[in-house]
Amino acid sequence: MMRNIVAGNWKSNKSINESREWMNEMSELASELPSDVRVMVAPPTPYLAALAESKPSNVILASQNVSATNTGAYTGEYTAEMLVSCGVSFALIGHSERREYYGDSDSVVVEKISRCVEAGLGVVLCCGEQLEIRKAGTHEDMISAQLNYALNGITDVDPLNFVIAYEPIWAIGTGLTASAEQAGEMHTFIRKLLGEKFGSYRAGQISILYGGSCKPSNASELFANEDVDGGLIGGASLNTADFIKIIIAAGE
Ligand code: PEP
């Protein structure tokens, strides 16, 4: 099964016109893209329905967020079902910016995963440790706690619709990247955890992406690790030239 995925997270960037331009560029360059990499992008939410109608077929749409609640009196929220009805295939859950600025605690993460599973929306579950934790050497304990909490009660996942992103917080948007060795060690650790939970056959099918200042100059080295199946890309996903170089690196 193909594990390679490169996913872009635009965060709060780009106008709708700029988004359409990005999609057009991806469409024009489609023939250069490796066929063994799934390409995903998470544009700002207000554009999702429009982009679902005009995006090239080789790009999968993701939402940067999803509601923890269902249909009802929840002003400002959008449900997993709504996203599915707009042609969105995945939602990022537990991104460190959501955890830090918007109260997406571990228990909110659990709720959001449940809503996605119920609605048939794919999940990119993000985890990652702060710099203090990395310095203290307790990063594996923290990731294990984060993932065990998020996946508690889940007995199996559909590997086509469930992706993990390991994003050390100290590497996000900072220009600091985890070394290939640090990323590789953590990804192997995460696959072992998934194996304990879902069995090693299933764990071997799940894509584990690295995120944190991944760019064309470091992508190949990071992706060379057996357990690094691609990347969740912030800044370097905003322009198609850089993003495509990263996609090509994931297919090598
Ligand atoms: C992210 O926010 O998921 C991310 C990895 O950002 P950046 O690539 O800009 O560090």
Side-chain angles (χ1 to χ4, degrees):
M1 216 189 81
M2 179 173 106
R3 290 204 312 231
N4 301 337
I5 298 177
V6 173
N9 171 15
W10 292 352
K11 313 188 184 189
S12 294
N13 290 290
K14 288 193 190 294
S15 66
I16 180 76
N17 286 339
E18 289 165 344
S19 306
R20 289 190 197 282
E21 225 168 89
W22 188 99
M23 290 291 180
N24 288 339
E25 288 167 17
M26 287 303 283
S27 168
E28 282 161 16
L29 296 165
S31 62
E32 291 181 26
L33 299 180
S35 56
D36 61 343
V37 181
R38 283 197 285 167
V39 177
M40 205 183 280
V41 68
T45 309
Y47 312 153
L48 288 171
L51 293 177
E53 308 221 318
S54 60
K55 72 172 185 64
S57 58
N58 60 331
V59 173
I60 299 167
L61 270 189
S63 173
Q64 295 174 21
N65 186 25
V66 61
S67 179
T69 42
N70 263 321
T71 308
Y74 302 106
T75 303
E77 290 294 308
Y78 46 92
T79 67
E81 261 177 22
M82 290 173 194
L83 291 169
V84 169
S85 75
C86 289
V88 176
S89 306
F90 277 84
L92 308 186
I93 298 183
H95 190 283
S96 61
E97 288 156 17
R98 300 285 325 167
R99 291 181 192 259
E100 187 177 357
Y101 309 138
Y102 301 99
D104 284 14
S105 61
D106 283 332
S107 60
V108 170
V109 165
V110 168
E111 290 302 316
K112 291 187 172 188
I113 294 173
S114 297
R115 299 296 86 74
C116 288
V117 172
E118 286 158 13
L121 184 65
V123 168
V124 179
L125 172 61
C126 305
C127 60
E129 81 284 355
Q130 294 86 349
L131 187 58
E132 310 84 80
I133 302 275
R134 170 62 67 167
K135 282 186 173 158
T138 52
H139 41 285
E140 289 189 346
D141 294 342
M142 170 160 182
I143 299 305
S144 154
Q146 238 177 11
L147 291 180
N148 280 327
Y149 197 109
L151 300 175
N152 186 27
I154 298 179
T155 52
D156 196 11
V157 291
D158 169 3
L160 281 175
N161 282 313
F162 178 79
V163 175
I164 301 265
Y166 168 60
E167 303 202 297
I169 297 171
W170 45 273
I172 296 183
T174 56
L176 284 178
T177 314
S179 67
E181 195 186 352
Q182 287 171 322
E185 276 170 12
M186 185 57 95
H187 282 231
T188 301
F189 175 74
I190 291 172
R191 201 174 303 284
K192 192 174 117 250
L193 278 181
L194 294 173
E196 284 159 12
K197 222 172 156 47
F198 303 128
S200 57
Y201 178 75
R202 181 64 86 224
Q205 296 177 308
I206 297 173
S207 306
I208 308 176
L209 312 183
Y210 168 79
S213 302
C214 181
K215 42 190 184 262
S217 58
N218 59 24
S220 297
E221 197 187 348
L222 287 160
F223 301 164
N225 279 293
E226 172 62 25
D227 288 314
V228 179
D229 303 314
L232 178 54
I233 318 297
S237 71
L238 293 171
N239 83 74
T240 50
D242 282 352
F243 194 54
I244 283 174
K245 283 182 194 149
I246 297 171
I247 296 166
I248 291 170
E252 280 166 0

